[in-house]
Amino acid sequence: VASLVLAAFSFTLPHTPPPARGQVVSARSIIGLDAFQQLGSRPFYVFIVSALLLCIPLAAYYNFTQLFLAAAGVQNIAATQTLGQMSETVFMFAMPAIFARWGVKRMLLAGMAAWVLRYVLFALGAPDGVYWMIALGILLHGICYDFFFVTGMIYVDKKSTAAIRGQAQGFFVFVTYGVGMLIGAQVAGTVYNRFLAGATALTLEQWQSFWFLPAAFAAAVLVFFGLTFYDREAEAKRRA
C-alpha cells in the first residue's frame, strides 16, 4: 500500500529529464570512471581510498553478526538486529543539525569511530555473552551507517556537477558496496574459516579474537583518514 501511495505521489514531482540524454553510454560511464576523473583531487582520492578500505572490515558485521548472536545466546536475533535500523532512522533525522555543526570530516570520522567502537564492544562482550554490550554495538548502526555512508553520499553530491552526479554516486556505491564488500567478504570468510579449523562453531573466546581484528583494521583506516583528509572547498561551503 505504501509503495502504491509513493508511486502516485511521484507523478506530482517536478520534471527531471536525464542530463546525459543523447550521449553515448559506455562501461566507463556506467561504473563512474568518467566522474572519478572529473572529481579528481587529493581530498577526494583520500576519501575514496578510505571508503574502500573501511568496507573491508564492515563485511564481517554484515556476514557474521547473526552467527555471533546465536553463539552468545541471544534469543530474539532478528528483533535484536532490528535495533540497528531503529537507530539508523533516529540519526537520519538528527543528521542535518549535526552536519551543519561538524561538517564532512568530523561526520566521517564519527562514523568510522563508531565502527571501531562497535567491534570493540562485540569483542569485550563475547566471552560472557554480555547482552547490553552486544545490543549497544548494534545500536551504533545509526552512527556507523548515517555518519559515514549518507555523509559520503552528500559529500560526493556536493563535489559533483549536475551532468556527472549520477555517475559519481554510482561510482561511490561501486567502490564501497561493490569492490570493498567483495574484498571484505572474502577476507572475513577466510579469517572465520581459520578460526573454525574444522569445528562446527566458534567458541565465545574465539569470537572475541575474531572481532578484535576488524576493530584494529577500522582503527587504522580512521587514523589514516584523520591525518590525510582535508577539503578546504567543502569546509568553506559548510561555514558559508
Side-chain angles (χ1 to χ4, degrees), residues 9-19 21:
F9 172 72
S10 69
F11 287 105
T12 69
L13 299 174
H15 181 55
T16 54
R21 174 181 288 176

Side-chain angles (χ1 to χ4, degrees), residues 186-198:
Q186 299 301 316
V187 172
T190 301
V191 172
Y192 178 82
N193 288 335
R194 289 193 177 184
F195 273 105
L196 200 62

Side-chain angles (χ1 to χ4, degrees), residues 22 80 96 155 161 182 187 194 239:
T80 300
Y155 176 67
T161 62
L182 174 63
V187 172
R194 289 193 177 184
R239 292 181 177 180

